[in-house]
């Protein structure tokens, strides 16, 4: 009997493993920079060409490798960081699986140059598709340099799967920032296509955060600090007024390793309760020190989740330490028990000059004067039901004639209107009703129709804009004063890489460092809704990796949302809105997929009685 089972050759096994470890260029950056940290480097240079598709090079000044190790390091499960399974519980290094280099070498052309302090010469090794092609002595400073060229050269499908250079480089930057933030004791540089993107000198954590985020960050940081037997926490949160609509600057590190955690994130949000608006996200850089034995380190190489044995305890420590910090730095008025709360002024008002209160007095007021309104008041009272009277409505002195007219309803007349609503066959005579400014209730042939005004307006604006856009660029209005808004790095990429499209929509802008300066906006966007519109664009296309084709949809959707909000304030006649809604191609659903209208049949209505 022949056997069908075969052991896979190493290079294929490595390629398969590589699929898990190396998903895109940023994974290579992460692995190489982490190795450099593990090698005890104090200076790490990262050089990227074409978002890592052509070259990723990491040069460090760490301990280097011996001639033998320089060869062995490319083998699968080759690691110097773990000798027994027990070591898993006392790990202080980033790596331990011994998979990264074997994986990288199977899907790229790699050049390694390395030298240890004790050696006269360095070693140079070339590897391609897992095979060592060159192994010679070379001149090299102490430390290690890895060049990874033409990533996925032998897996075209993976190469095609890569996103635009802007997007891939953003991923690289993100990995780089995570490691750089965790290691302020190490100097880093990052170059992309011969341009310096980062040059980070050594220093403390605050300096590193400011160097990564930009100078303005310095005033935004509130330090946090807490030490217990189970966990030590230190780091910074951003003051509440710098909370953003998109998750941006949110970093957790445990023993200097970046991780993501919804549970702890909840604790941070909770500590900001009442200080930031709903749907805004606080920024934070939180470092946990935990005994490695109390962590599940056997995590997937590319996953950023980590399991903590004592997560509940850590949750409450985190919550209280942030609350305490916010209280101490006067940003949380109710939490600081040592200070007079009466002196607390919300942050946003702090630097404003005090405004004298204005007292409004009617100089003509004469309490003894008998006005004609008292007569009218009688009419009002007599027209009200006892229940309404009991609540005190209509018993004050309505001064304007509108009020009088409003209440002057003949009981007979009221009954008649109600009868007409349900039973009269000449139903067209009844108008639309507006409920709480949001819903329109209008009779239809079979009963009633309920329409969501906001969603209807969004649909109308969306289709109008789309129709315009398809035919020609949307008309732009020049702004008298440019509108400035700070962008996160991801947002900046979105604006830069979709410049042409956004211009067709009427957005004319410049970007300087992380400031977006708008000179022109679509003419339908009014001044008061510009901010809303930009926020909405950032939120919808922020970093979702939406397809190019979808971007137009999201941009129009954002414009439609902001335009609709203003349109709704200008009380449009419900009948006009309904008429326009029914001219739309789709009047059932809003552009974001929510139901616009529904009907209630007469039977359904009657069953309520
Ligand atoms: P791991 O980091 O999990 O051990 P890697 O495949 O990333 O596995 O690396 C294999 C080994 O190669 C490491 O354990 C280390 O001994 C060595 N090595 C890798 N990069 C460097 C470097 N920059 N400096 C010194 N040694 C390195
Ligand atoms: Mg490693």
């Amino acid at each position: 009997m022949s056997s069908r089972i075969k052991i896979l050759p190493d290079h294929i096994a490595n390629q398969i493993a590589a699929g898990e470890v190396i998903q895109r260029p940023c994974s290579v950056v992460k692995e190489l920079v982490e190795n450099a940290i593990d090698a005890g480097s104090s200076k790490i240079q990262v050089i990227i060409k074409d978002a890592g598709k052509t070259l990723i090079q990491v040069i460090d000044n760490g301990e280097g490798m011996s001639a033998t190790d320089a060869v062995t390091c490319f083998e699968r499960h080759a690691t110097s960081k773990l000798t027994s399974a027990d070591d898993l519980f006392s790990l202080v290094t980033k790596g331990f699986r011994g998979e990264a280099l074997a994986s990288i070498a199977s899907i790229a052309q790699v050049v390694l140059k390395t030298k240890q302090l004790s050696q006269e010469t360095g070693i140079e090794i070339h590897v391609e598709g897992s095979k060592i092609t060159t192994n010679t002595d070379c001149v090299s400073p102490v430390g290690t340099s890895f060049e990874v060229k033409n990533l996925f050269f032998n897996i075209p499908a993976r190469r095609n799967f890569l996103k635009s250079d802007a997007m891939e480089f953003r991923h690289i930057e993100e990995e780089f920032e995570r490691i750089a933030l965790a290691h302020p004791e190490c100097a880093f540089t990052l170059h992309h296509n011969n341009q310096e993107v980062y040059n980070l000198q050594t220093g403390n954590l605050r300096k590193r955060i400011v160097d990564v985020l930009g100078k303005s960050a310095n005033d935004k940081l509130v330090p946090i600090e807490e030490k217990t037997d189970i966990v030590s926490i230190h780091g910074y949160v951003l003051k509440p007024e710098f909370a953003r609509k998109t998750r941006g600057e949110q970093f957790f590190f445990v023993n200097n390793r970046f991780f993501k955690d919804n549970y702890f994130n909840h604790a941070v949000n909770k500590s900001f309760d009442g200080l930031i608006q709903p749907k805004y996200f606080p920024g934070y850089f939180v470092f946990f020190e935990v005994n490695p034995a109390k962590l599940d380190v056997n995590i997937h190489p590319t996953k950023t989740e980590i399991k903590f044995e004592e997560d509940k305890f850590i949750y409450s420590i985190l919550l209280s330490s942030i609350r305490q910090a916010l209280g101490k730095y006067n940003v949380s008025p109710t939490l600081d028990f040592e200070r007079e709360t009466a002196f607390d002024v919300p942050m946003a008002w702090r630097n404003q000059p005090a405004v004298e209160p204005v007292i409004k007095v009617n100089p003509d007021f004469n309490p003894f004067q008998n006005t004609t309104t008292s007569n009218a008041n009688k009419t009002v009272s007599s027209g009200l039901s006892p229940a309404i009277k009991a609540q005190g409505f209509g018993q004050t002195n309505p001064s304007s004639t509108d009020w009088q007219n409003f209440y002057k309803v003949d009981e007979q007349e009221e009954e008649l209107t109600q009868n007409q609503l349900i039973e009269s066959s000449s139903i067209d005579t009844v108008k639309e009703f507006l409920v709480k400014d949001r819903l329109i209730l209008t009779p239809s042939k079979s009963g009633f129709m309920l329409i969501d005004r906001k969603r209807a307006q969004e649909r109308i604006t969306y289709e109008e804009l789309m129709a315009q856009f398809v035919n020609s660029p949307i008309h732009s209005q020049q702004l008298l004063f440019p509108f400035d808004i700070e962008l996160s790095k991801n947002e900046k990429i979105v604006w830069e890489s979709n410049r042409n499209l956004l211009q067709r929509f009427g957005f004319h802008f410049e970007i300087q460092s992380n400031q977006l300066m708008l000179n022109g906006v679509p003419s339908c966007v009014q001044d008061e809704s510009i901010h809303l519109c930009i926020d909405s664009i950032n939120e919808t296309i922020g970093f979702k990796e939406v397809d190019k084709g979808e971007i137009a949809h999201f941009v129009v959707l954002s414009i439609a949302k902001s335009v609709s909000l203003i349109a709704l304030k200008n009380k449009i006649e419900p009948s006009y809105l309904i008429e326009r809604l029914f001219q739309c191609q789709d009047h059932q659903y809003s552009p974001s997929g929510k139901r616009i209208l529904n009907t209630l049949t007469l039977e359904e209505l009657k069953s309520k009685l």
Side-chain angles (χ1 to χ4, degrees):
M1 263 201 343
S2 68
S3 79
R4 290 188 297 140
I5 300 177
K6 290 194 179 66
I7 306 289
L8 289 175
D10 261 2
H11 70 278
I12 297 184
N14 283 340
Q15 261 188 25
I16 294 170
E20 284 187 26
V21 188
I22 309 298
Q23 285 162 344
R24 47 188 359 133
C26 72
S27 331
V28 176
V29 174
K30 174 176 184 279
E31 294 298 336
L32 295 184
V33 177
E34 285 190 348
N35 278 347
I37 297 273
D38 285 345
S41 315
S42 60
K43 189 174 170 221
I44 299 173
Q45 292 163 266
V46 182
I47 298 162
I48 306 290
K49 294 238 163 79
D50 305 321
K53 295 170 187 170
T54 311
L55 173 75
I56 298 164
Q57 183 173 16
V58 175
I59 308 168
D60 68 49
N61 64 352
E63 63 188 353
M65 278 183 266
S66 67
T68 344
D69 281 355
V71 173
T72 334
C73 72
F74 292 108
E75 298 284 323
R76 209 137 59 101
H77 308 306
T79 180
S80 55
K81 301 167 191 174
L82 203 65
T83 43
S84 76
D86 283 349
D87 293 350
L88 271 175
F89 302 101
S90 54
L91 271 177
V92 286
T93 52
K94 309 263 176 208
F96 58 88
R97 294 171 157 255
E99 277 180 335
L101 292 181
S103 299
I104 295 169
S106 73
I107 48 167
Q109 294 144 356
V110 182
V111 177
L112 159 66
K113 286 181 195 158
T114 185
K115 188 175 105 75
Q116 290 180 310
L117 190 61
S118 55
Q119 302 299 313
E120 286 285 300
T121 53
I123 309 291
E124 180 170 333
I125 298 206
H126 293 219
V127 191
E128 192 171 318
S130 295
K131 288 217 160 48
I132 294 184
T133 54
T134 312
N135 182 349
T136 52
D137 287 353
C138 74
V139 179
S140 164
V142 175
T144 304
S145 153
F146 273 102
E147 285 170 74
V148 176
K149 297 176 190 166
N150 303 320
L151 187 66
F152 300 129
F153 79 101
N154 49 0
I155 318 180
R158 293 300 295 275
R159 222 179 142 83
N160 295 339
F161 168 81
L162 297 177
K163 302 275 177 193
S164 68
D165 279 10
M167 205 59 105
E168 291 299 342
F169 185 69
R170 180 59 203 139
H171 283 300
I172 290 179
E173 254 188 313
E174 228 165 36
E175 290 295 354
F176 175 88
E177 286 164 3
R178 288 170 182 174
I179 305 176
L181 282 168
H183 294 278
E185 76 286 353
C186 181
F188 289 89
T189 58
L190 172 64
H191 285 84
H192 188 208
N193 295 337
N194 299 322
Q195 283 202 323
E196 184 181 278
V197 183
Y198 276 117
N199 187 346
L200 307 170
Q201 303 301 316
T202 53
N204 58 18
L205 177 60
R206 181 184 271 270
K207 177 171 164 33
R208 180 52 53 91
I209 294 175
V210 171
D211 287 348
V212 171
L213 293 195
K215 275 201 193 78
S216 64
N218 200 21
D219 299 331
K220 302 180 185 172
L221 302 174
V222 176
I224 56 169
E225 175 100 57
E226 188 71 69
K227 279 199 170 74
T228 69
D229 291 346
I230 292 172
V231 64
S232 292
I233 298 177
H234 77 277
Y236 295 90
V237 290
L238 294 187
K239 288 177 186 167
E241 63 264 41
F242 299 108
R244 303 184 64 107
K245 273 202 110 173
T246 46
R247 280 170 206 273
E249 288 114 15
Q250 299 194 324
F251 297 87
F252 283 132
F253 301 89
V254 59
N255 302 344
N256 288 338
R257 181 199 290 273
F258 173 84
F259 72 104
K260 285 184 180 160
D261 195 302
N262 284 337
Y263 184 55
F264 293 163
N265 183 56
H266 186 267
V268 182
N269 288 340
K270 205 157 178 229
S271 56
F272 276 85
D273 253 2
L275 296 170
I276 55 180
Q277 289 178 44
K279 293 195 182 161
Y280 273 68
F281 302 101
Y284 54 82
F285 306 83
V286 179
F287 290 74
F288 302 91
E289 307 299 331
V290 178
N291 178 350
K294 306 264 179 181
L295 288 178
D296 182 358
V297 287
N298 208 3
I299 37 160
H300 190 274
T302 55
K303 291 231 171 86
T304 41
E305 283 89 29
I306 284 190
K307 277 203 198 123
F308 289 75
E309 205 175 288
E310 317 214 45
D311 55 352
K312 292 205 175 61
F313 179 80
I314 298 177
Y315 179 100
S316 43
I317 295 289
L318 177 63
L319 178 73
S320 76
S321 64
I322 298 180
R323 280 199 174 161
Q324 223 174 46
L326 291 173
K328 204 164 156 191
Y329 284 81
N330 297 347
V331 284
S332 174
T334 48
L335 296 168
D336 192 351
F337 301 110
E338 284 162 25
R339 270 173 340 116
E340 277 259 26
T341 44
F343 291 115
D344 276 310
V345 181
M347 279 308 285
W349 300 353
R350 231 171 249 172
N351 301 324
Q352 308 279 327
V355 181
E356 216 174 284
V358 182
I359 302 168
K360 286 191 182 138
V361 184
N362 175 2
D364 300 329
F365 179 71
N366 177 354
F368 303 107
Q369 197 178 1
N370 245 341
T371 60
T372 47
T373 44
S374 58
N375 271 339
N377 210 22
K378 277 184 197 135
T379 331
V380 169
S381 303
S382 65
L384 291 174
S385 73
I388 290 181
K389 273 192 228 161
Q391 288 178 41
F393 285 115
Q395 282 159 25
T396 49
N397 272 353
S399 53
S400 91
T401 45
D402 288 351
W403 280 79
Q404 293 161 27
N405 291 338
F406 186 69
Y407 283 114
K408 223 189 221 169
V409 179
D410 188 304
E411 264 166 14
Q412 270 185 358
E413 212 178 287
E414 206 175 302
E415 237 171 42
L416 198 70
T417 329
Q418 283 191 0
N419 280 344
Q420 268 183 359
L421 268 181
I422 310 289
E423 276 150 25
S424 160
S425 56
S426 60
I427 220 156
D428 314 336
T429 54
V430 183
K431 284 217 174 114
E432 299 78 14
F433 293 87
L434 198 55
V435 186
K436 292 237 172 211
D437 268 0
R438 179 73 194 242
L439 289 182
I440 299 172
L441 194 61
T442 184
S444 68
K445 280 198 186 115
S446 53
F448 263 105
M449 190 155 62
L450 271 172
I451 299 173
D452 186 307
R453 262 179 97 220
K454 185 164 167 279
R455 294 176 190 170
Q457 184 64 56
E458 258 171 46
R459 166 55 65 190
I460 295 165
T461 323
Y462 178 88
E463 290 204 4
E464 276 178 6
L465 279 169
M466 257 314 181
Q468 270 183 46
F469 172 69
V470 170
N471 295 322
S472 57
I474 286 181
H475 190 256
S476 174
Q477 54 158 329
Q478 286 300 111
L479 295 176
L480 219 51
F481 303 102
F483 181 87
D484 285 5
I485 188 167
E486 196 178 310
L487 296 178
S488 72
K489 293 212 168 118
N490 296 340
E491 291 160 2
K492 186 172 156 183
I493 289 186
V494 170
W495 284 85
E496 271 169 352
S497 55
N498 295 294
R499 186 179 282 275
N500 287 344
L501 183 97
L502 287 159
Q503 254 167 13
R504 259 184 81 88
F505 277 111
F507 293 100
H508 295 274
F509 59 94
E510 283 164 44
I511 295 179
Q512 272 174 19
S513 71
N514 53 353
Q515 285 289 320
L516 172 74
M517 286 170 293
L518 282 166
N519 305 312
V521 294
S523 48
C524 57
V525 176
Q526 292 175 11
D527 283 359
E528 66 254 57
S529 58
I530 296 179
H531 207 297
L532 200 77
C533 183
I534 307 302
D535 267 359
S536 177
I537 291 181
N538 287 337
E539 211 178 330
T540 41
I541 58 178
F543 201 46
K544 275 198 202 137
E545 303 205 2
V546 282
D547 283 343
K548 273 261 182 261
E550 272 184 318
I551 287 182
H553 159 75
F554 283 117
V555 175
V556 179
L557 181 62
S558 302
I559 304 174
K561 274 186 181 169
S562 54
V563 171
S564 310
L565 272 185
I566 303 295
L568 286 180
K569 278 193 201 151
N570 306 332
K571 303 274 186 281
I572 301 166
E573 264 295 305
S575 58
Y576 181 57
L577 193 82
I578 296 174
E579 197 185 305
R580 287 175 63 201
L581 175 66
F582 279 92
Q583 285 165 2
C584 287
Q585 287 180 1
D586 179 353
H587 52 257
Q588 296 276 358
Y589 291 94
S590 76
S592 23
K594 293 193 181 129
R595 216 187 169 97
I596 299 175
L597 54 84
N598 214 336
T599 49
L600 280 171
T601 62
L602 211 53
E603 284 68 38
E604 281 171 311
L605 284 169
K606 278 187 171 165
S607 72
K608 304 273 175 214
L609 295 170

